[in-house]
Amino acid sequence: MKPIITESEYMSESAGPRPPVLLDVRWQLGGPNGRADYEAGHIPGAVFVDLDSELAGPAGTGGRHPLPDPEVFGAVMRRAGVGRRSPVVVYDGGQGWAAARAWWLLRWTGHLDVRVLDGGLATWTGELSTGIPKPEEGDFRPQPGAVGLLDADGAAALARSGLLLDARAAERYRGDVEPIDRVGGHIPGAVSAPTTQNVDEDGRFLPAGSLAARFSDLGADGTTEVGVYCGSGVSGAHEVLALELAGHRAALYAGSWSEWSSDESRPVATGPEPV
């Protein structure tokens, strides 16, 4: 199934016999909780889900956004109306990172029918609502492990045996700046691949052919195992989605740089080359 859906496709499906469950996951790194924006206006029928508290566990040695407990995540999804067989559509404010995090978590826990609204709320042309829906509780039960997940050791090994992509901004990869984590740089052997280059000026994903060409240039040749990391497993999920559009299945290192760099025993590379 294609991992994204257009506004017109969503409108058509929402008027059909199996309307998708719609999740609003607006979020900003270091910003306020997105609920106030949601309550001020959201796509009709959308249920708000908070990334920091519901799509991640408590920050700590596992990174700033470690994976949530699967049972806790399952309860959040059921509250939002997600069923085992219900189609799900996720959107955020337009950047796509938070929506992709929810998409990846649902995929990782075994949901087969979940898509991201391409362009998110920033490109939505329909009406907005301030009504808070009360969906019937769903019956989704997480079964983790349905898609690839890397830990720190697995990411280090893949950087040498396959292709490990770093989805952060290039200046953070090089170690020129590090506004959040303990130290700047990248996992030795990882290749810089900023996720911002996967979308157009409106925040919509580039055509599949353009994405395939981009990832081919970075070393994804169709036979090489691919993994992705970022700062804390959010924008990396967006790159995993872009890779899927390009025809590649990729694993996510969910702890990402926030976990890696917190351990002083792990090596750090700097500069523009993978090393």
Side-chain angles (χ1 to χ4, degrees):
M1 175 175 291
K2 192 176 180 181
I4 59 175
I5 185 171
T6 66
E7 178 181 347
S8 61
E9 289 170 338
Y10 169 74
M11 293 295 287
S12 176
E13 290 189 22
S14 66
R18 295 181 67 233
V21 174
L22 185 62
L23 306 180
D24 181 316
V25 290
R26 275 178 277 181
W27 169 84
Q28 294 181 41
L29 178 62
N33 181 291
R35 180 172 289 277
D37 289 337
Y38 165 81
E39 292 178 351
H42 51 266
I43 298 175
V47 176
F48 179 73
V49 177
D50 179 55
L51 187 148
D52 287 323
S53 64
E54 296 179 319
L55 301 182
T61 57
R64 280 180 279 109
H65 291 109
L67 296 183
D69 178 278
E71 290 307 311
V72 173
F73 173 69
V76 169
M77 292 297 102
R78 290 191 296 276
R79 170 188 61 78
V82 175
R84 290 175 295 171
R85 295 182 176 85
S86 59
V88 180
V89 171
V90 190
Y91 74 89
D92 58 24
Q95 189 177 42
W97 295 1
R101 169 75 173 212
W103 167 84
W104 185 89
L105 280 170
L106 280 163
R107 290 287 303 280
W108 177 65
T109 52
H111 202 289
L112 299 176
D113 190 349
V114 54
R115 289 160 291 173
V116 167
L117 182 64
D118 198 18
L121 195 63
T123 59
W124 178 257
T125 62
E127 65 176 0
L128 297 179
S129 170
T130 57
I132 308 300
K134 296 181 179 179
E136 180 179 344
E137 182 156 327
D139 62 357
F140 174 65
R141 300 287 174 180
Q143 296 181 323
V147 296
L149 174 66
L150 297 170
D151 59 13
D153 290 341
L158 185 59
R160 299 304 183 188
S161 66
L163 177 65
L164 182 66
L165 299 177
D166 184 319
R168 298 172 301 156
E171 58 268 25
R172 291 184 68 194
Y173 170 89
R174 295 191 301 266
D176 298 346
V177 298
E178 182 44 64
I180 307 169
D181 295 311
R182 184 185 66 84
V183 64
H186 57 270
I187 297 174
V191 174
S192 180
T195 197
T196 52
Q197 296 180 21
N198 296 325
V199 296
D200 63 19
E201 61 274 9
D202 294 322
R204 294 186 177 93
F205 283 95
L206 298 176
S210 299
L211 290 170
R214 182 195 183 210
F215 290 122
S216 177
D217 289 344
L218 292 169
D221 60 7
T223 62
T224 301
E225 186 179 355
V226 181
V228 180
Y229 75 98
C230 57
S232 63
V234 178
S235 66
H238 189 271
E239 187 126 294
V240 171
L241 195 159
L243 280 155
E244 185 158 320
L245 284 170
H248 302 284
R249 287 291 178 91
L252 177 68
Y253 172 25
S256 286
W257 188 248
S258 59
E259 178 187 41
W260 181 276
S261 63
S262 69
D263 185 342
E264 295 184 16
S265 71
R266 294 194 183 108
V268 170
T270 56
E273 299 302 324
V275 183

